[in-house]
Amino acid sequence: MDNPTPEATYRFQLTPDVGFAELGKFADYLAKLGVTNAYLSPILQAVPGSQHGYDVVDHSRISLDLGGEDAFIAAAARLSQRGIGIVVDVVPNHVALPTPESLNPALWSVLRDGPESPFAQWFDIDPSHGQPILLPILGARIDEIIDAGDLVVDPSGGPGGEPILRYFDHELPIRSGTASLSIEELLAAAYYRLAYWQIAGEELNYRRFFDVDTLVAIRVEDPEVFIRTHEVLLRLIADGTITGLRIDHPDGLADPEGYLASLAAAGDQPWVVVEKILAPGETLPTSWDCVGTTGYGAASILTALFCEPEGAGVMRSAFAEITGEFADWPQVAFAAKKEVLSTILFSELHRLAALAHSACQTNVRWKDYSLKGLTEGLTEFLAHMEVYRAYVRPGHPIPLISSEQLTTAATAACESLPHRAAEIGLLQAMASGQLGRSETIDDFVVRFQQTSGPVLAKGVEDTASYRWFPVASLCDVGAEPDVFGVELDAFHRWCLDRKAAMPGTMNTLSTHDTKRSEDVRARINVFSEVPEKWLGWIQDWQYLSGPLEFDDLSGEVTESEVPKLRDARTEWLLWQTMVGTWPIDRERMGAYLIKAVREAKVYTSWVEPNEVYEAALSDYLDAVYDNATLMESFRLATAHLKPGFVANSLGQRALQLFMPGVPDTYQGCETVDLSLVDPDNRRPLDADVLQGIYDRSQAGISDPYADHDAAKMRVSVEGLQLRGRHPDAVGPAGSYVPLVANGDAANHVIAYLRGDSIVSLALRHTMALESAALEATRIGLPAGQWLNVLTGATVSGGDQPLSLNEILGGWPVAILEATSEAAVAMNDHDAD
């Protein structure tokens, strides 16, 4: 039978230090929170020591690093006793190329036996005849490695005592019968090609996860591969241990719709959501067999809702003046997409262009389209794609929306590169499935879609978002960094559309992929409410710290003439991040900044680290932390922002809990969490600290600003338990009715009614709000008694609108429950 939609999920990041045993210990705590499903990071066997689980090496077993299957079953049983199901993160797109390589038995078999391996059809490898799999694992060019004697044959070091080739920690299989040959002959006969790691972006011949060479794509569209890679999960779904699935990166698959249909046909249907980033105006294909997405859109609109447009505009102008970045966001994003296509994703671009060129050689009318022309046209076409993927299935009619998306991108590409308009037109027709069918054309149709997603992900999320950040809170997965604020009507329309299209979807505020936690974004958003203060602080901090400068060694200059370059962009990012995460220690901030500047790829990168620049950045950060005046200024700035921060933090949480869909709590975010991008956001939970905050939250809070942690915990607990008391009100059939305030503070109030029993209300842009404005602003509630579950006070609805002060009771948010039974439930809960 189908598994029910969760009432609320709680995301756990499992690691070797926080495995299934630790998960089971949280059962009582999750039940007290009101969570109905533990939502777990991947549980299949990953590379030993993996801190995330997305690098699976063996689909046939539950991770031993996390405790193994018996420990998983025990944890599931303990959770089930408290009425809590399990949602599991599934990774269908790729497996790990581990070190040593023998850790992945399927891949090892293919590397050893090539087309004779029973796993040969598993991997998405370039079909070019006779081409070995490129393994870009060497620290230098192959001739240097051979001459240095770094490749050594171990006659019995492999699985089962077979001979292997060793390269430091790497273990590689040897093709049968070649172990006695010279190294050169052995390598020439192998089904793989060892290569210098830096050529991966140019010659890689297997599909990977974005630009990660060590995550090799698999062909889950093959029925046998699907069954073999999902058999453990399907068994646990069938016996009721797993009740839901989160599908990682479906856009990487050859056929996402077909994959979801295979899941649905495999047995009892769990609750399924997909990790899908929707562009503005884009909707999830209605033909997909899932209930919705993992909720990046919810995080994006809630963050933007609490950004003050006028102040953000002031920050935008100042960002341009101070950093010298006068281009707007679309220009920066487009340039970044083209850049990654010519660098880290060049092998994907080349592979796709070669397919198009090969198709052109089959038709005399297309033979004048050169590989160079097709490559240039394809670069422009892909860079103009504004959605991760236009869903075209070979042999199926193209959806109208997909046709429009491809046409829009191609039209823009022709305008920006008119001398390649003919090539772009041909590529559009080919990608749309309009040029007939052949193995090569079908392959191009699929590969084009599998390439457009990585271009957006690496170009926009992992490059442009680290280059253009006037208000850094708006720069996150699936967000629109140049959308400064959201009108109330637009927010309510978004919620109503979500209810109509995906009532069972997930809503999140933080994930393991977000660049800043919800509370860091909430605090940074307050800058937009006090832009003059922000600009004053910036001037003070730049004066106190001096410029972030480094030696420019790009030209031929003598030591006495080395010019200096200034990186004001990273200074701007540092100031926002410092206050957004205060108090943050030097180690965490240093690790974050190195990741940020390498992702930006302006002065340094992951592929080519600039030691001079990174050393200067480290020295600069040391000087900042050693400057007591600066440290005190950050503390004072944070204190000044606190009223707005608390309001934003509690407000977005109160709205998320009751908007259409299923609220997810990322681990620890039921209270204040000031984490940055991974791995910072994977730090383990402290159960004792959380329990202490929970206890404070239940003791009664007279001033939410005095104990922000307990206040957010109370919003989380009371909100989640209220959902449990009124499942019909927040379920797919429960109505969503916007409530409109009248008065001076009307535009500061977001409120809505769910069903006939729940009201969620939040204030925004509160730094300039005064009590008199709140008193003068009124909002009507449906007739009857309404209990504020945060304060315990009761107000009466009906014909006479109530002042905001009366409803809020000193809080910046209110969660109201109808009926006389509410007070009884509240009293019983407080007694517990």
Side-chain angles (χ1 to χ4, degrees):
M1 64 178 181
D2 290 353
N3 287 291
T5 299
E7 285 295 332
T9 58
Y10 189 99
R11 171 74 177 202
F12 270 96
Q13 291 297 112
L14 299 169
T15 71
D17 296 323
V18 183
F20 301 133
E22 287 72 22
L23 168 65
K25 295 175 183 177
F26 273 89
D28 291 344
Y29 175 74
L30 294 183
K32 287 191 295 187
L33 285 184
V35 169
T36 63
N37 290 75
Y39 161 35
L40 309 181
S41 54
I43 64 170
L44 298 181
Q45 183 61 56
V47 173
S50 173
Q51 295 297 304
H52 49 78
Y54 291 95
D55 45 358
V56 176
V57 294
D58 190 348
H59 293 84
S60 69
R61 56 193 170 101
I62 302 293
S63 172
L64 295 178
D65 297 71
L66 303 180
E69 183 162 342
D70 288 346
F72 175 71
I73 297 298
R78 187 165 180 180
L79 290 165
S80 181
Q81 291 171 356
R82 300 306 310 266
I84 298 170
I86 288 181
V87 175
V88 167
D89 203 335
V90 182
V91 190
N93 179 67
H94 54 266
V95 297
L97 172 60
T99 303
E101 288 71 10
S102 55
L103 291 170
N104 187 328
L107 185 57
W108 179 270
S109 173
V110 174
L111 294 175
R112 182 187 61 206
D113 301 326
E116 303 304 316
S117 166
F119 300 97
Q121 82 277 18
W122 274 46
F123 298 95
D124 200 347
I125 301 167
D126 194 317
S128 300
H129 297 295
Q131 293 296 315
I133 304 170
L134 186 78
L135 297 184
I137 62 174
L138 303 180
R141 296 190 183 278
I142 184 68
D143 58 332
E144 298 176 38
I145 298 299
I146 293 173
D147 291 344
D150 291 335
L151 295 171
V152 179
V153 174
D154 183 338
S156 58
E162 67 180 275
I164 60 171
L165 183 65
R166 290 192 182 276
Y167 173 66
F168 296 103
D169 292 336
H170 293 276
E171 296 177 356
L172 299 155
I174 294 176
R175 184 172 176 177
S176 177
T178 67
S180 61
L181 301 177
S182 69
I183 291 295
E184 288 91 338
E185 292 171 322
L186 184 154
L187 290 175
Y191 289 112
Y192 54 83
R193 171 192 159 198
L194 297 185
Y196 184 30
W197 69 270
Q198 285 198 335
I199 74 167
E202 300 174 6
E203 296 191 12
L204 203 69
N205 60 353
Y206 58 82
R207 189 169 63 82
R208 54 188 171 168
F209 175 72
F210 297 156
D211 64 335
V212 185
D213 305 336
T214 55
L215 294 178
V216 183
I218 57 175
R219 299 180 59 249
V220 76
E221 65 272 16
D222 183 295
E224 180 183 343
V225 178
F226 173 83
I227 291 298
R228 294 285 298 277
T229 56
H230 287 68
E231 56 189 350
V232 171
L233 298 177
L234 292 173
R235 170 170 55 81
L236 293 170
I237 291 169
D239 68 18
T241 305
I242 292 175
T243 57
L245 301 176
R246 179 261 195 194
I247 309 303
D248 182 67
H249 188 44
D251 279 345
L253 306 180
D255 183 8
E257 181 176 336
Y259 169 77
L260 292 169
S262 296
L263 271 182
D268 292 339
Q269 174 72 327
W271 178 74
V272 176
V273 291
V274 294
E275 187 213 13
K276 168 63 184 172
I277 298 171
L278 296 171
E282 185 184 9
T283 58
L284 196 68
T286 56
S287 55
W288 284 19
D289 213 326
C290 64
V291 300
T293 72
T294 52
Y296 292 132
S300 175
I301 196 167
L302 285 169
T303 299
L305 186 67
F306 286 86
C307 179
E308 212 289 323
E310 184 174 343
V314 173
M315 294 177 70
R316 165 68 183 102
S317 299
F319 175 76
E321 291 290 339
I322 291 173
T323 67
E325 180 55 84
F326 290 95
D328 60 21
W329 167 248
Q331 291 173 311
V332 173
F334 178 74
K337 286 189 284 185
K338 291 197 71 173
E339 182 179 318
V340 299
L341 277 164
S342 67
T343 53
I344 59 177
L345 297 181
F346 179 79
S347 64
E348 283 76 7
L349 174 68
H350 177 73
R351 182 179 183 183
L352 193 57
L355 268 177
H357 188 251
S358 179
C360 287
Q361 302 314 299
T362 66
N363 189 318
V364 69
R365 300 175 64 89
W366 304 339
K367 287 194 174 184
D368 280 350
Y369 291 99
S370 68
L371 179 59
K372 180 176 186 292
L374 290 168
T375 302
E376 291 178 2
L378 195 55
T379 300
E380 205 73 12
F381 189 12
L382 286 167
H384 278 286
M385 286 290 292
E386 296 297 334
V387 294
Y388 273 66
R389 181 166 175 161
Y391 298 99
V392 185
R393 304 178 75 193
H396 296 260
I398 183 172
L400 176 60
I401 184 62
S402 297
S403 178
E404 291 174 346
Q405 290 162 345
L406 291 169
T407 298
T408 298
T411 300
C414 289
E415 291 174 354
S416 61
L417 195 68
H419 74 283
R420 292 301 184 191
E423 286 87 350
I424 294 167
L426 180 78
L427 291 165
Q428 177 197 349
M430 192 179 294
S432 302
Q434 297 173 354
L435 298 183
R437 298 194 64 195
S438 70
E439 182 178 349
T440 303
I441 290 176
D442 284 357
D443 199 13
F444 178 86
V445 170
V446 172
R447 302 293 181 193
F448 181 89
Q449 297 174 77
Q450 291 176 312
T451 306
S452 60
V455 173
L456 260 75
K458 299 309 298 182
V460 176
E461 291 176 32
D462 292 343
T463 303
S465 290
Y466 286 98
R467 294 179 176 179
W468 199 92
F469 37 76
V471 186
S473 52
L474 303 179
C475 299
D476 223 304
V477 181
E480 297 176 80
D482 59 343
V483 175
F484 300 146
V486 174
E487 294 296 328
L488 298 183
D489 287 348
F491 171 74
H492 290 307
R493 284 196 303 272
W494 188 91
C495 288
L496 288 167
D497 288 344
R498 197 169 186 81
K499 182 182 180 305
M502 300 187 295
T505 193
M506 180 182 284
N507 291 325
T508 189
L509 279 170
S510 298
T511 77
H512 62 285
D513 283 326
T514 43
K515 303 185 189 306
R516 298 161 190 84
S517 71
E518 61 203 66
D519 289 315
V520 174
R521 300 197 306 271
R523 189 186 272 168
I524 291 175
N525 262 345
V526 187
F527 292 146
S528 70
E529 300 180 46
V530 289
E532 293 79 11
K533 279 282 187 184
W534 165 251
L535 297 181
W537 288 330
I538 282 282
Q539 292 172 347
D540 290 344
W541 298 335
Q542 288 183 321
Y543 172 77
L544 289 168
S545 67
L548 168 52
E549 292 182 328
F550 63 101
D551 291 337
D552 180 10
L553 302 179
S554 60
E556 296 183 6
V557 294
T558 65
E559 184 174 346
S560 61
E561 296 175 339
V562 176
K564 294 284 188 181
L565 288 175
R566 180 175 182 179
D567 184 8
R569 188 195 317 254
T570 299
E571 293 174 24
W572 181 282
L573 178 64
L574 172 61
W575 307 138
Q576 290 196 60
T577 307
M578 186 67 82
V579 177
T581 55
W582 183 267
I584 183 172
D585 62 48
R586 166 66 176 81
E587 182 180 4
R588 285 179 59 208
M589 181 59 77
Y592 167 74
L593 281 183
I594 286 295
K595 179 164 186 171
V597 296
R598 288 183 177 179
E599 294 286 12
K601 308 172 190 67
V602 176
Y603 298 116
T604 187
S605 68
W606 296 107
V607 177
E608 296 184 38
N610 183 333
E611 294 181 2
V612 172
Y613 168 77
E614 292 185 6
L617 177 60
S618 180
D619 291 344
Y620 179 77
L621 195 57
D622 284 341
V624 167
Y625 271 87
D626 289 341
N627 189 317
T629 304
L630 263 175
M631 294 291 105
E632 176 64 7
S633 182
F634 295 144
R635 186 191 68 79
L636 293 173
T638 304
H640 182 83
L641 298 174
K642 184 172 183 178
F645 172 36
V646 173
N648 289 352
S649 169
L650 302 186
Q652 62 187 13
R653 181 65 166 155
L655 295 176
Q656 179 228 6
L657 288 174
F658 300 102
M659 61 199 298
V662 177
D664 175 58
T665 303
Y666 185 75
Q667 59 176 31
C669 288
E670 64 272 30
T671 185
V672 180
D673 181 274
L674 298 174
S675 296
L676 291 164
V677 70
D678 68 284
D680 192 63
N681 60 15
R682 292 200 296 263
R683 289 170 294 152
L685 298 173
D686 188 321
D688 292 337
V689 169
L690 289 175
Q691 183 61 52
I693 297 172
Y694 175 88
D695 292 342
R696 296 204 311 271
S697 77
Q698 300 307 297
I701 301 171
S702 58
D703 181 3
Y705 299 93
D707 193 343
H708 185 183
D709 282 303
K712 190 178 180 192
M713 178 71 81
R714 188 166 183 88
V715 170
S716 300
V717 173
E718 302 305 332
L720 291 171
Q721 294 197 347
L722 179 56
R723 287 182 63 92
R725 294 197 293 272
H726 300 278
D728 292 340
V730 293
S735 60
Y736 176 98
V737 178
L739 299 179
V740 179
N742 292 286
D744 296 344
N747 195 47
H748 296 258
V749 184
I750 314 107
Y752 56 80
L753 171 70
R754 294 305 312 272
D756 58 1
S757 53
I758 298 173
V759 169
S760 181
L761 184 152
L763 298 180
R764 65 172 182 167
H765 311 161
T766 59
M767 290 293 282
L769 265 182
E770 296 183 357
S771 181
L774 296 177
E775 186 63 34
T777 303
R778 297 182 172 272
I779 192 167
L781 300 176
Q785 295 295 108
W786 292 88
L787 173 70
N788 185 332
V789 298
L790 302 178
T791 67
T794 301
V795 295
S796 299
D799 296 334
Q800 189 66 35
L802 303 174
S803 76
L804 290 179
N805 276 338
E806 185 176 0
I807 295 172
L808 292 166
W811 285 60
V813 298
I815 298 174
L816 309 178
E817 180 180 15
T819 79
S820 57
E821 288 79 13
V824 175
M826 184 76 176
N827 290 334
D828 289 344
H829 172 57
D830 284 345
D832 294 338

